[in-house]
Every structure is written in C-alpha cells, then in structure tokens.
Amino acid sequence: MKKKLIISMCLMLTVLMAACSPAASTPQTPNQPGQPEQPKEPEQPEQPSDKEGTITVEDMKGTAEIPAEPKRIIDVSGSADELIALGVPFIASANTSMFDGVTVPDYLKDYFTDNNVEVVGNYSGASGDLNLEKIAELKPDLIIMNIRHDKVYEQLKAIAPTVMLSDDINFVDWQGRFSQLGKWFSKEAAVADWIKAYDKKAEELGARIKEKVGDETFAVLEANSVHFGSYYVYRTGGPGDLIFSAMKLPPSAGVPEGVWGEVVDAEYFSKIDADHIFFFSDDGKVGDTADSPTWQNLKAVKDGNVYCGVNDLQYNMAYTPNGKLLYMEKLANAVINHTDVE
C-alpha cells in the first residue's frame, strides 16, 4: 500500500513540475494558415531616467537642465514682453519699470492684471531688487534671469531650475534674447515670423518719414539722469536702434558707430550736425540744456526739428519686441506730425 502511495505522489510531482516550467522552455510552433496569431509577449518599457521630462539648453552659464513643459515660470530677466509674444504663460515677473523699478509698464499692465501675474522685483537693478522670499513661496518650476542678478544665481537655482539669458547688462541684443527664448520653448518659427513682420513695419515707417524729410539726418540724445551735465548719444541702444537700424534713417556726423552709444558732455554737441534730433529727459523737456551755446548752434535746434520724449517711456519700451514696435510708431509719428514723442 505504501509503495503505491509513493508512486502516486511521484507522478503528481512530475505533473506539477512540468506545469510550472518556464514558457520559454516550451517549443513554439509557427501558426498554421487560417489560425489566429499567437499573442506576443509585451515589450517591457524603458525605466524612466532621473532626468525624464527635462531638456538641456544653452544659456549664459553654459548649459542647464530645465523642464520640457514648465507650468510655473517666474521671469526675472525682463522678458515678459517676449514670453507674451510667444504665448508662454508665466506666474510672476520682475518686469517693472526700467526707470523707477516699481511700476509695471503701461503696455504690459493689462496682461499682468488679466493673468494675475505677481510682481517679484525689478529686472534691471541690483540683486537686492528681487524678492527671493516671494519667489520661493510661489513654487516655480523654472526661473529665467539675466546677468544683472548674477550674485543671487545660486540662490535662485536652489529654488528651481534656473536659466540665464545670454546678454550683457545693456540689453541691446534684443533679437538674440528673443531667439534664445524661442529655442528654449520650441518657438523658433514664431520668433522668425514676428521679426519678419517687425522688419516690414519698420520699412513702412521709415519710408513714410523719408517721404516727409527726404534724406535729412538724425541724432538721438538723452540727458543723463544720474550725472547732471552729461548726455548719451545713442546708436544701437534703445531708441537709436529704432531710428538707425530698424527704420534705417541716416545718422548725422557725431553719431558713434558700432556701439550702443557714448557718454558725452555738452561740448560734444558741436560735432553733431543733424537735421533732426530726438531728445530724451526725465520730464520730456530740454530744460537747462537749452542754455548751452553749443546746443543753440545746432542745425536741428535752429530749424525747430527737436522731438522731446520722456525717459521713463523710452526705457520701458525701446528694448523689447512689442515695446519696440509700439515705440517705433511713436517716433515716426513725431517726425511726420512734427510733435514731441507721445
């Protein structure tokens, strides 16, 4: 009896072992015509890497890992204008006035209000002009900055992935900044289309001015807000870029070449023989500059072709895409209508 029991148990173990043997050891026969295809073993997905959902971008520091699709962007670089043009939303910004450091420029206010954009400092000032505590409280997943805040770069990186735009402190290379943002957010085509439309508008406005004044020359001056008695003579910076590079109006003698501009004193005016002068100051008036003999002897002054503008407005609009487009039209209208820049 015991012998039969042992044999039965051995047979059961043999059956169980065969049933539990791996499927890979069972030879597979090819499907016969008319038979359904045997289901295949599903492929195992690759294990996610530590950097899944991120991309590597080039910035002023070299390279940076950032989210591929950031949802909570804080911009402290002064790029609110560009991000709006590209349709990239952001939750907070330091794009306050380049002149007073506190107020949001008028042409950006509606967007900030409609989209509840928080203000976290000033992009053009020193590192102390950023509210780091507020930035941290907003829990960003990406921070965009510029070199002016280099001293707090590590602190910003500790809050969230951070990229630094490749530009110097003068913010002259606006197309370079715009294109770099386009690459970071896969919006290169949008940047190209925008610049194409901008160039077309600039050509149209330049042609209208030349219809009015022919080939007469221009100079762009600004009374220095910090050092009384000194002036900026612009070439590629701000309003100079709009006059000479965008609308391609001829510069007069005395307008520097290959630089954003130069800092000069009133005696330098004797080198300028422009037919038309744009003059910017804090209050939008010539003020004490009118007492200078060299100013009084300028051709544009004698002919009444001086167009005054307010520093606050030109600083806030003449350095970023949409601002430049709007401000360029103001400059053109001043010449065409023979008024101040309004």
Side-chain angles (χ1 to χ4, degrees):
M1 186 73 178
K2 289 182 179 179
K3 186 175 181 182
K4 289 182 178 179
L5 182 59
I6 291 170
I7 293 171
S8 298
M9 291 178 65
C10 288
L11 287 171
M12 289 176 64
L13 285 171
T14 302
V15 172
L16 287 170
M17 290 174 66
C20 295
S21 63
S25 64
T26 304
Q28 300 292 319
T29 57
N31 294 326
Q32 298 299 319
Q35 289 185 343
E37 184 175 337
Q38 300 242 353
K40 294 181 180 179
E41 290 283 331
E43 293 184 6
Q44 294 297 317
E46 293 182 3
Q47 294 297 315
S49 68
D50 292 339
K51 296 181 179 179
E52 186 179 15
T54 67
I55 57 173
T56 302
V57 299
E58 299 285 336
D59 74 347
M60 199 164 191
K61 291 290 187 179
T63 60
E65 291 286 337
I66 67 171
E69 297 182 2
K71 305 297 183 186
R72 297 184 62 79
I73 298 172
I74 292 182
D75 171 54
V76 296
S77 72
S79 300
D81 189 329
E82 288 90 336
L83 295 174
I84 293 168
L86 295 175
V88 176
F90 50 98
I91 63 168
S93 171
N95 216 135
T96 49
S97 170
M98 199 171 180
F99 189 70
D100 68 27
V102 178
T103 59
V104 175
D106 286 344
Y107 80 106
L108 296 174
K109 279 182 179 177
D110 285 347
Y111 184 92
F112 275 51
T113 300
D114 294 345
N115 293 277
N116 299 313
V117 176
E118 297 269 5
V119 173
V120 291
N122 177 253
Y123 78 101
S124 62
S127 57
D129 292 334
L130 293 184
N131 188 335
L132 297 179
E133 184 177 350
K134 190 170 184 179
I135 291 171
E137 287 174 357
L138 291 169
K139 300 186 184 306
D141 57 7
L142 177 64
I143 298 172
I144 305 171
M145 66 176 296
N146 65 51
I147 195 171
R148 288 206 177 206
H149 298 301
D150 192 35
K151 289 183 179 179
V152 293
Y153 174 71
E154 294 298 333
Q155 290 170 269
L156 291 172
K157 274 183 68 178
I159 296 171
T162 300
V163 282
M164 182 184 290
L165 283 167
S166 300
D167 195 9
D168 61 24
I169 62 173
N170 293 317
F171 303 106
V172 171
D173 184 21
W174 70 277
Q175 289 200 28
R177 293 194 311 272
F178 200 12
S179 296
Q180 189 170 40
L181 286 163
K183 289 179 182 177
W184 290 350
F185 296 107
S186 300
K187 302 275 189 178
E188 294 97 328
V191 172
D193 289 344
W194 195 97
I195 291 177
K196 184 177 180 181
Y198 171 87
D199 289 342
K200 182 179 180 181
K201 184 65 175 179
E203 184 179 2
E204 291 171 357
L205 291 173
R208 287 177 59 197
I209 291 174
K210 288 175 182 177
E211 285 178 8
K212 180 81 173 181
V213 303
D215 292 327
E216 292 179 350
T217 60
F218 289 79
V220 182
L221 308 175
E222 178 194 326
N224 194 325
S225 301
V226 179
H227 300 291
F228 181 74
S230 66
Y231 303 84
Y232 298 122
V233 184
Y234 283 103
R235 183 57 181 256
T236 64
D241 174 60
L242 297 173
I243 294 296
F244 305 121
S245 302
M247 293 189 285
K248 298 183 174 17
L249 301 177
S252 79
V255 175
E257 297 181 16
V259 293
W260 69 267
E262 289 183 0
V263 180
V264 302
D265 58 21
E267 294 304 312
Y268 187 89
F269 294 160
S270 61
K271 299 180 180 180
I272 297 173
D273 64 354
D275 298 298
H276 302 267
I277 290 176
F278 286 96
F279 185 86
F280 299 97
S281 63
D282 290 356
D283 61 2
K285 298 177 181 178
V286 175
D288 293 340
T289 301
D291 298 331
S292 165
T294 50
W295 174 264
Q296 294 170 2
N297 286 326
L298 289 172
K299 184 192 303 183
V301 174
K302 291 179 178 179
D303 293 343
N305 293 330
V306 176
Y307 317 102
C308 292
V310 180
N311 278 338
D312 187 18
L313 197 60
Q314 67 100 349
Y315 271 114
N316 287 333
M317 300 184 75
Y319 291 84
T320 55
N322 283 315
K324 294 177 84 72
L325 192 59
L326 294 168
Y327 201 66
M328 179 165 51
E329 193 151 12
K330 291 178 181 292
L331 295 175
N333 287 336
V335 179
I336 293 166
N337 300 322
H338 209 266
T339 63
D340 287 333
V341 184
E342 299 171 346

